[in-house]
Amino acid sequence: MAASLMGIYKSVRWLPFGNWLFSKAVCIKAPYFGSIKPTITHLEVGKCVAVIKKRRSIQNHIGTIHAIAQCNLAELVAGVMTDATVPVKTHRWIPKGMTVQYLKKADGVLTAEAKIDLPRVWQDKEDLVVPVEVFDQHKTKVFHADITMYITER
């Protein structure tokens, strides 16, 4: 049986560059996330936080962070949080949909947080809506997403 995502995080977070190492491992498992070069800075049951830095490769035509890079960041934190929260022995999950709001121009360093209320009872089948907030380095909210995760029993 493969190690749980939370177990891997707990085993490497205390190491020098542990968050970076964990983030790289997530991007190896799901390569598309590597396009935004995220660093997962916090993970616990029900919550995940990650940051990205503005780079030319994720800019749009006006020099701010591209809308799809923000969506990618939101899906990353929602997915990692869901994986760390859903009881993996009895349930599985997959993203089902996403609604987004672009609130301000996104520039500089962005911090995304996915958080759900706990405790909760997991159903046989359910749509779990994971809210994600993204803030710039000035703590201004620039983006909001509601990501629907389809959760079923194994």
Side-chain angles (χ1 to χ4, degrees):
M1 176 173 66
S4 72
L5 199 59
M6 183 61 82
I8 295 168
Y9 179 74
K10 286 179 179 179
S11 70
V12 301
R13 71 178 175 194
W14 60 273
L15 295 170
F17 306 104
N19 286 339
W20 176 85
L21 183 63
F22 177 74
S23 303
K24 286 293 183 189
V26 169
C27 291
I28 289 169
K29 182 72 173 165
Y32 186 69
F33 291 130
S35 67
I36 58 171
K37 298 192 185 302
T39 300
I40 297 167
T41 59
H42 180 85
L43 179 61
E44 65 183 75
V45 173
K47 181 178 177 181
C48 181
V49 180
V51 298
I52 61 171
K53 294 178 183 173
K54 178 180 165 185
R55 296 177 294 104
R56 179 161 170 66
S57 63
I58 61 171
Q59 286 181 20
N60 57 25
H61 65 287
I62 61 172
T64 59
I65 297 175
H66 195 280
I68 299 305
Q70 295 173 68
C71 289
N72 199 357
L73 176 61
E75 186 179 351
L76 168 75
V77 294
V80 170
M81 184 281 303
T82 301
D83 199 83
T85 304
V86 170
V88 294
K89 290 183 180 180
T90 58
H91 289 75
R92 60 186 171 190
W93 63 274
I94 189 165
K96 183 177 181 180
M98 178 188 304
T99 59
V100 300
Q101 295 174 310
Y102 305 102
L103 305 171
K104 302 267 183 187
K105 289 180 183 177
D107 210 4
V109 176
L110 299 185
T111 302
E113 178 180 288
K115 187 175 181 182
I116 61 169
D117 292 330
L118 294 174
R120 61 176 293 116
V121 176
W122 298 100
Q123 306 298 317
D124 296 349
K125 291 182 182 180
E126 69 177 289
D127 287 341
L128 173 67
V129 177
V130 178
V132 178
E133 307 291 349
V134 178
F135 299 90
D136 67 13
Q137 67 269 18
H138 306 293
K139 309 264 189 262
T140 301
K141 188 180 349 178
V142 298
F143 177 91
H144 173 85
D146 287 314
I147 302 177
T148 303
M149 299 296 191
Y150 182 53
I151 305 193
T152 61
E153 281 190 325
R154 286 193 177 273

